[in-house]
Every structure is written in structure tokens, then in C-alpha cells.
Amino acid sequence: APRPYPVVFAIVVGAGFCLGLSDPPTAAAIKHLVPPSQLTKAITQSQIRPLGATVVGSPLGSSLFGIAAALPFLATALSFAFSSALLLLIRRPMQAARAVHAGPRRIGEGLRFVARQPVLRGWIIWIMGSNLAFNHVGAFLALIATARERHASASEIGLMLGIAGSGGLLGALIARWAIGRLGPSTILLIAAWSGPVAAVLLIFTPGTVSLGVILAAVFLRGPAVNALFYSYVTAL
């Protein structure tokens, strides 16, 4: 049977495109739903949902796939439909009145605004590089490939992925505490240096489960960094 690589690639690109459309208005809507004093807390809590889905999704998807190949996709479609219906229950306006219409000129103004903000500009470039190296999908695929090369069993691979995904969920649960206790500068320094250190450790560390522990430590930093970034952007 032919390998469906083009179909898989198209699905991944389509999913990334949809996330690119949904993430910015999601972050902007939070500003209109909570008071400014609760903004960082709300952004931190909003990350628990997708990170929790990352931990639960892999074993649940595998179980559904074992029943029927189309079942995981049907469950995903139903979950999106349910989420869309929940949006209708929000009574507060999620955006301010727009005085002008968006267009290429407005987009250009937005890009020039970002270019004039040295903190935001450097932050975006670093986050792009970090996400390219340690995004969940790519990192999980690399872990699975490495574990199979090391002849790991299916249970060991599942445990490894569960540990790796739990790092992000734990990070979301403690992000607000970490921001208050350590401060933004310390968190960003730890986040910036932990990525290269983890990359070197992933190359030379033997075993399978240990790789999940290292990646969990990388994912642990994400929610606090995201909360700081989106709070800074929203404040601007």
C-alpha cells in the first residue's frame, strides 16, 4: 500500500495554519474577559487545558484507534464542535469596537510596531527557535523513533511519552507560583539555558524513560514563559 506521507503532511500544515488563526484572538479575548489584575493568572490557567490534553490524548487516541481507525478523528471533530458551542455561552464581548478595518496596510503597521520593540522582537525570535526545536509533535516523534531504535517496548514508549507530556502540565500548574517567586528575568534565563543543555543531554543519555524525563524538564518551562509573553503582549 502507498505511504500516505503527503496526506499526513497536509494535515499537519492545515492544523498549524488553523492554530495560527485561533491563538492570537484567543489571547486577545482573555484581556476582555478578566480584569487586568487577573490577566497573568488567566493566561496561565488557560494553558492547563491543551497541556492536559497532550498528556491524556496520546494513550486515549491509541485506545480509540485500536477500536476503529476513524474513531480518534471523529472524537476530535466532536470535541471541536463542543468547544465551539461553549463559546456561544460567553456573554461578555470578547473584542473592543474597531475603528478601522484590518488589511495589508494595518498588518504592515503591526510588523513595524513589533520591529520597534526590542524586548518583544528578541522574545519572538527566541520563542520561534525554541518552538522549532521542542514543539510537542516533533519532539514526541523524535522520542518514538529513538526509542524504537533502542528496541524499547510499547509500554516503555507510552511511559516515556506520558512523563514528557506531564512536564508541560506540571509547568502550567506551578507557573503562577514560579512567576511570583522567581520573577520574570530569572524564569527567562532558566528557560533560555535549559533548552541547549537538554538538547545535549538528549544526544548522550542512554535508555528510554530517561529521555522522557529530560523532555519533561524542557516542557516544564513553557507555561511560565508563555504566560509572561502573552501578558506582555496584551499589556502593549
Side-chain angles (χ1 to χ4, degrees):
R3 297 182 180 272
Y5 291 137
V7 177
V8 174
F9 181 76
I11 292 174
V12 172
V13 171
F17 178 77
C18 291
L19 284 175
L21 293 177
S22 64
D23 281 354
T26 298
I30 294 177
K31 180 180 180 180
H32 299 284
L33 295 176
V34 300
S37 60
Q38 298 181 11
L39 184 60
T40 302
K41 178 182 179 181
I43 293 175
T44 303
Q45 290 179 344
S46 69
Q47 298 179 72
I48 296 176
R49 176 189 53 80
L51 292 170
T54 300
V55 176
V56 179
S58 296
L60 181 60
S62 299
S63 300
L64 294 175
F65 191 82
I67 300 173
L71 201 53
F73 303 97
L74 177 61
T76 302
L78 291 175
S79 68
F80 279 119
F82 181 69
S83 299
S84 300
L86 290 179
L87 289 176
L88 301 176
L89 301 178
I90 299 177
R91 299 305 180 188
R92 298 187 61 179
M94 289 189 290
Q95 68 177 24
R98 291 186 298 175
V100 295
H101 295 288
R105 183 176 179 180
R106 296 288 296 176
I107 295 174
E109 292 177 0
L111 293 174
R112 286 191 293 271
F113 173 81
V114 172
R116 293 193 299 267
Q117 302 288 331
V119 174
L120 189 59
R121 183 178 65 241
W123 209 342
I124 289 176
I125 293 173
W126 174 71
I127 287 178
M128 288 173 59
S130 180
N131 287 345
L132 183 64
F134 291 109
N135 70 85
H136 283 83
V137 176
F140 281 2
L141 290 176
L143 284 185
I144 293 172
T146 304
R148 287 180 174 175
E149 286 184 355
R150 296 178 180 181
H151 307 289
S153 64
S155 60
E156 289 176 326
I157 294 176
L159 177 60
M160 173 188 66
L161 296 180
I163 292 174
S166 65
L169 180 59
L170 178 60
L173 294 174
I174 67 172
R176 186 163 174 258
W177 171 86
I179 293 172
R181 188 66 179 266
L182 301 177
S185 298
T186 302
I187 288 177
L188 293 178
L189 284 173
I190 294 173
W193 283 102
S194 61
V197 171
V200 174
L201 291 176
L202 287 171
I203 295 174
F204 296 105
T205 300
T208 301
V209 177
S210 55
L211 300 180
V213 174
I214 295 172
L215 201 57
V218 177
F219 291 158
L220 184 70
R221 66 184 183 162
V225 172
N226 289 340
L228 290 172
F229 175 76
Y230 283 118
S231 297
Y232 186 79
V233 170
T234 305
L236 287 179

